[in-house]
Amino acid sequence: MSTAHTVVSPQEWLEARKALLAKEKELTRLSDEIAKERRALPWEEVTKSYVFDGPNGKETFQDLFKDKSQLIIYHFMFGPDAEAGCPSCSFYGDHHNGTDVHLEQRDTTWVAVSRGPYEKLAKYKERMGWTWKWVSADGNGFPEDMKVSFNPPFDGTEVYNYGTPKYIAPEMHGLSVFFKDKETGKIYHTYSAYARGADILLGTHNELDFTPKGRDDEEFAPYKMAWLKRHDEYEAKGDAD
């Protein structure tokens, strides 16, 4: 990036910054309104009984909630035949480490779900140093029902992110939210987001957006996260001092 940029007096800088601040506040208010509408969406009842493999052996869908009424599931791309997790999903995994204790103060649990066998998930989780819970849904149909896993051959009718995308793979990522009525035990699907709909979870991207170079990823278009590696695979150039 060239250092050539508009340089102004302190007063001119302040005026420009305040003009942008007005737009930032407008965006914040819009974000608050969208969050309110998201919470007001209708729910759909989950009527299937799913059983997962996890650190505690076989666990039902109800077990994933622990004693909370809200459950966030991250659909992590790690297929049955994979030996390592998707780099982009691993990026999400890095961002979630350490947040469980905070979510649980707000009646919410967080679990990652993949189709890979639990033994592989546990081994990769140990390699990455993650502390959050990860369970396997291999064979239980949950990822397929949530429209994040697909079985070849593809015929162009696969639905992902509420449409039929040009590109599809056996494993796609996303985020789903569920609510459990503690009195009746019924579980409801309240929200799902896919593709860039989950981008807000990436604090690294949000912090880079404050910088002059931004995400600095235009050279990697159309797949702008092609620069990304698992956190133990970077060479010295990208390492923090």
Side-chain angles (χ1 to χ4, degrees):
M1 177 182 177
S2 172
T3 56
H5 199 83
T6 302
V7 178
V8 297
S9 68
Q11 183 58 39
E12 290 174 305
W13 184 93
L14 181 60
E15 291 175 359
R17 177 64 189 95
K18 290 171 71 174
L20 179 60
L21 178 60
K23 292 184 177 181
E24 290 175 333
K25 288 184 175 182
E26 182 180 351
L27 177 61
T28 298
R29 287 190 289 268
L30 178 59
S31 179
D32 290 343
E33 182 60 32
I34 290 174
K36 182 178 179 180
E37 293 183 21
R38 184 184 299 123
R39 294 191 295 272
L41 282 171
W43 298 352
E44 60 176 346
E45 185 177 354
V46 178
T47 57
K48 290 187 178 181
S49 298
Y50 301 105
V51 177
F52 302 84
D53 290 320
N56 302 316
K58 298 293 183 181
E59 298 187 57
T60 67
F61 198 21
Q62 287 83 352
D63 291 335
L64 301 185
F65 285 81
K66 298 201 295 189
D67 63 342
K68 311 304 180 186
S69 63
Q70 300 185 132
L71 170 66
I72 298 172
I73 285 183
Y74 180 67
H75 303 288
F76 194 114
M77 295 167 60
F78 195 126
D81 299 324
E83 297 300 326
C86 155
S88 296
C89 289
S90 299
F91 192 35
Y92 279 92
D94 290 341
H95 283 80
H96 184 71
N97 233 26
T99 66
D100 282 331
V101 64
H102 303 294
L103 288 173
E104 291 187 1
Q105 302 307 306
R106 308 316 307 152
D107 194 29
T108 304
T109 58
W110 189 100
V111 178
V113 175
S114 302
R115 286 203 296 179
Y118 177 69
E119 292 74 17
K120 286 186 177 182
L121 305 184
K123 181 179 179 180
Y124 185 64
K125 175 183 172 182
E126 182 178 9
R127 168 188 162 185
M128 293 289 100
W130 294 326
T131 58
W132 39 260
K133 187 171 184 177
W134 200 354
V135 299
S136 171
D138 190 20
N140 75 2
F142 179 74
E144 292 85 351
D145 290 343
M146 299 310 300
K147 310 299 184 187
V148 291
S149 291
F150 308 89
N151 297 308
F154 306 135
D155 60 13
T157 64
E158 292 78 17
V159 174
Y160 175 72
N161 198 19
Y162 307 104
T164 52
K166 294 181 180 179
Y167 171 79
I168 200 72
E171 312 299 328
M172 305 291 280
H173 84 103
L175 174 85
S176 294
V177 183
F178 302 87
F179 181 87
K180 182 173 72 174
D181 186 319
K182 293 182 179 180
E183 293 185 1
T184 66
K186 291 184 176 181
I187 295 176
Y188 303 91
H189 174 216
T190 69
Y191 183 77
S192 283
Y194 309 93
R196 287 200 66 186
D199 188 65
I200 192 173
L201 301 177
L202 294 175
T204 300
H205 275 176
N206 296 326
E207 291 192 59
L208 287 172
D209 285 342
F210 287 119
T211 69
K213 295 178 71 173
R215 302 184 187 188
D216 197 24
D217 54 10
E218 291 300 326
E219 65 181 287
F220 300 102
Y223 182 53
K224 293 186 177 182
M225 292 182 72
W227 62 271
L228 187 68
K229 297 181 180 181
R230 300 172 183 88
H231 65 237
D232 61 355
E233 294 178 341
Y234 287 112
E235 298 178 359
K237 179 181 179 180
D239 288 345
D241 294 329

